[in-house]
Amino acid sequence: MKYSNAFIPTLREVPADAVIASHRLMFRAGLLRKLANGLFAYLPLGLRSFRKVEKIVREEMDAIGALEIKPTVVVPGELWKESGRWDAMGQSLLRVKNRLDNDFVVSPTAEEAFTAIVRDELSSYRQLPLALYQINTKFRDEVRPRYGVMRGREFVMKDAYSWHADEKSLDDTYQAMGRAYRQIFKRCGLSVIPVKADSGAMGGSGSEEFMVESDVGDNTLILCKCGYAANVEKASCAQDFTAQTSIENAKATAANTPAFEKIDTPNVKTIDELCDFLKTKPQTFIKTLIYRAINVELDLSSAPGCSKLERTKPSKDAPEVYTEAFFAVAIRGDLDVNEVKLAAILKASEVALASDADVIRLTNAPVGFAGPVGLTALPLVIDHSVTAMNDAVTGALVKDLHYKHVSYGRDFNAWMIEDLRTVKAGDKCSLCSGELYTKMGNELGHIFKLGYKYTRSMNVSFLDENGKSQIPTMGCYGIGVDRTLASVIEEHHDDAGIIWPISVAPFHVIVVPIKYDGVMKEAADKLVKDLTAAGIEVLLDDRNERPGVKFNDADLTGIPYRVVVGDKGLSQQPPVVEVKRRGEKDNFMLEAEKAAVDLTGRILEELKLF
Ligand code: ATP
Ligand code: MG
């Protein structure tokens, strides 16, 4: 390919909104342009690398026996109503109508579409296991698209789905996917941190996220030297207290604590104010928060204050849920409630702190005075930490009043006791007791044992060996192609530009004649011809530009091998050309005659490493 025929609009200036290296460099190196917020067009150079990432993903999926299909991006809304996600997905789902007023969805993911296709074809256990995938456009109306294609509105995802007759078969495919993912990221030159996230409470029984470290990552990773790695959303830690495992124990521990009594706390609402006022530490408080949960699947028929709640079905075959329910959540004063864990425990699609009006209505007291003693209007969910508290301060459900000497088991009881705490750096590892530390990370891929969520709601079944009808279990596995590409640049660049790993470089070699004329033109053309014949991808910088400009663009676009063809080198005996490996300091000379063979050898060797 000749540069003069290419469309590589490199930029000196950085777009104002580009704050991370990959975003800046994808624009500056002419890989990408923006159409609107979160909508990007890949230009030819960017697309070449994009296709290479896709190819790697495809090869690794094919290698484990997953089968590619090409469904549509626009999917009937009916399927999403069946699964219940038409309502549950919220505003990130782009819903559209056609001229006949039918509902459609622009796929943000494709569990429904794939499950519908399989449902119609599946009859016998002999067809299982089955793993299908696509590499296709997705749309999510993200609240805050940012960092270029890292978080776009339209992007390409490889999404695979698998169906199984039993748990063992699901686990085999899940493990194979995990191995394929490690291979994909390795081949892209990426160092990933696989983060195990057991999501049992969410209906599945296994989940792993593949993260890259990033200062602007959206995920906090909780890590330990021993290898423990979890997303903070799911992380747990060793408890730093002795939990009371039974009410009898708790009561016995509380025996030496004086009876609880009221303390006047005029205008004292926050834990900090209370600490100042009582001259004590947050650890002695039981913090009680009122949460509003949406679409709660958990059975609340025996929960305090819930007898009048009724279950409804958001759509025809979706599970029954309580559209709205309130919970009191108590945790030791120095700890924070992890809302992802809470939502998982309640099987709710969303949880958020209740409004002031709801808090006042449910606790009969102003905001800031909630407490577990005497609370009957709603179910009390407590963190394990609270079970160890036998001389605590709590809100008294009355304005300007708290209680002291409050003991769990003696003065109040809980409806549920769960791990609700947000793990922090410095907490102890639950595996080895080592000190946990954090890093920020970006999710590139996710593998997930879905279980029966979709197969049940969408009525998928097959006949087992005994002719009995069974529901298959399911897994799903996603990788963001754009985000993976951007992450490669994040990991491989310097001040001058991109340093592509050879596996995903848009070209392997850029040939730069000092002047595209005379002997230099002749030598450059021959080199390009020989390299191309050997299967090497070459860009020939035939532009009538100063060498400095050409070198800068070669650095910026990050093509692994730069070969400079100059008249000085060509006039030596034997004639030589100068080679520079992008990212390395020194250049070296190759005999012009042998340069194509030598470079081909090097590149093929390097490619083997990926
Ligand atoms: P995030 O938490 O970053 O929003 P997610 O949990 O919504 O990710 P999944 O639904 O698991 O992501 O999608 C699978 C993959 O698709 C992600 O790992 C990521 O690589 C990619 N992806 C998701 N959302 C976007 C986006 N807005 N832009 C680019 N890639 C995305
Ligand atoms: Mg998301």
Side-chain angles (χ1 to χ4, degrees), residues 256-326:
N256 299 327
T257 307
F260 73 89
E261 58 180 276
K262 290 177 182 160
I263 31 173
D264 282 319
T265 50
N267 291 322
V268 174
K269 287 184 202 153
T270 66
I271 294 215
D272 284 346
E273 289 166 356
L274 260 175
C275 280
D276 282 348
F277 188 81
L278 299 175
K279 310 236 164 331
T280 173
K281 292 200 200 122
Q283 281 86 324
T284 60
F285 296 102
I286 298 174
K287 177 159 72 179
T288 309
L289 304 163
I290 310 301
Y291 274 97
R292 173 173 180 258
I294 313 263
N295 293 335
V296 177
E297 225 184 295
L298 194 68
D299 181 6
L300 300 179
S301 52
S302 64
C306 297
S307 57
K308 294 208 185 87
L309 287 187
E310 275 182 25
R311 291 203 204 213
T312 55
K313 272 178 180 277
S315 57
K316 199 167 96 286
D317 292 305
E320 288 195 327
V321 294
Y322 302 93
T323 325
E324 177 191 76
F326 291 88

Side-chain angles (χ1 to χ4, degrees), residues 74-96:
V74 175
V75 172
E78 282 316 308
L79 294 177
W80 284 70
K81 290 175 189 169
E82 270 189 58
S83 74
R85 288 208 290 183
W86 177 264
D87 296 309
M89 276 294 275
Q91 298 229 298
S92 68
L93 183 66
L94 185 62
R95 302 164 176 88
V96 287

Side-chain angles (χ1 to χ4, degrees), residues 480-496:
V481 176
D482 314 69
R483 194 179 285 181
T484 298
L485 184 66
S487 299
V488 172
I489 300 174
E490 285 294 318
E491 194 171 329
H492 301 280
H493 70 272
D494 62 13
D495 290 343

Side-chain angles (χ1 to χ4, degrees), residues 74-288:
V74 175
V75 172
E78 282 316 308
L79 294 177
W80 284 70
K81 290 175 189 169
E82 270 189 58
S83 74
R85 288 208 290 183
W86 177 264
D87 296 309
M89 276 294 275
Q91 298 229 298
S92 68
L93 183 66
L94 185 62
R95 302 164 176 88
V96 287
K97 276 190 189 293
N98 72 351
R99 66 178 85 197
L100 300 174
D101 211 31
N102 297 327
D103 285 321
F104 290 90
V105 157
V106 184
S107 284
T109 167
E111 283 79 0
E112 284 80 357
F114 275 68
T115 303
I117 290 165
V118 169
R119 170 177 57 191
D120 294 345
E121 304 311 320
L122 184 64
S123 53
S124 157
Y125 70 96
R126 288 192 202 88
Q127 294 165 284
L128 297 175
L130 175 65
L132 301 178
Y133 76 97
Q134 66 175 334
I135 304 180
N136 213 344
T137 300
K138 303 286 177 296
F139 189 92
R140 295 182 183 180
D141 204 356
E142 298 274 355
V143 187
R144 216 155 67 83
R146 57 191 182 281
Y147 308 133
V149 296
M150 280 280 189
R151 184 173 300 283
R153 288 206 160 105
E154 185 177 306
F155 57 97
V156 171
M157 196 204 290
K158 183 287 296 175
D159 42 331
Y161 307 88
S162 67
W163 296 264
H164 308 269
D166 56 44
E167 195 58 36
K168 162 81 175 58
S169 164
L170 170 60
D171 194 57
D172 288 345
T173 297
Y174 176 85
Q175 301 295 345
M177 285 282 176
R179 287 192 296 275
Y181 273 40
R182 284 170 174 73
Q183 195 57 21
I184 288 167
F185 295 123
K186 181 171 163 265
R187 290 182 61 191
C188 292
L190 279 167
S191 329
V192 292
I193 309 174
V195 172
K196 287 224 161 54
D198 188 15
S199 49
M202 297 168 92
S205 52
S207 158
E208 195 170 14
E209 293 166 332
F210 293 80
M211 299 281 187
V212 281
E213 201 183 331
S214 159
D215 292 342
V216 298
D218 292 312
N219 298 272
T220 303
L221 313 183
I222 303 283
L223 305 166
C224 178
K225 281 199 301 282
C226 77
Y228 177 81
N231 192 320
V232 70
E233 291 182 344
K234 319 254 168 64
S236 55
C237 63
Q239 304 294 12
D240 46 6
F241 50 80
T242 311
Q244 301 290 351
T245 47
S246 73
I247 287 290
E248 283 65 39
N249 271 352
K251 282 186 181 157
T253 323
N256 299 327
T257 307
F260 73 89
E261 58 180 276
K262 290 177 182 160
I263 31 173
D264 282 319
T265 50
N267 291 322
V268 174
K269 287 184 202 153
T270 66
I271 294 215
D272 284 346
E273 289 166 356
L274 260 175
C275 280
D276 282 348
F277 188 81
L278 299 175
K279 310 236 164 331
T280 173
K281 292 200 200 122
Q283 281 86 324
T284 60
F285 296 102
I286 298 174
K287 177 159 72 179
T288 309

Side-chain angles (χ1 to χ4, degrees), residues 419-495:
D419 171 16
L420 292 171
R421 111 190 227 180
T422 302
V423 177
K424 295 194 283 270
D427 285 342
K428 298 275 172 285
C429 174
S430 54
L431 300 182
C432 75
S433 300
E435 194 162 303
L436 296 169
Y437 59 97
T438 62
K439 278 184 180 174
M440 299 311 287
N442 246 332
E443 182 196 308
L444 298 188
H446 190 181
I447 61 176
F448 190 75
K449 290 186 187 173
L450 274 171
Y452 299 92
K453 183 174 158 58
Y454 296 92
T455 46
R456 200 166 270 152
S457 62
M458 296 181 69
N459 291 317
V460 187
S461 65
F462 65 95
L463 294 180
D464 69 12
E465 289 126 313
N466 306 317
K468 206 168 146 245
S469 178
Q470 303 279 3
I471 300 173
T473 184
M474 204 175 150
C476 71
Y477 320 90
I479 287 185
V481 176
D482 314 69
R483 194 179 285 181
T484 298
L485 184 66
S487 299
V488 172
I489 300 174
E490 285 294 318
E491 194 171 329
H492 301 280
H493 70 272
D494 62 13
D495 290 343

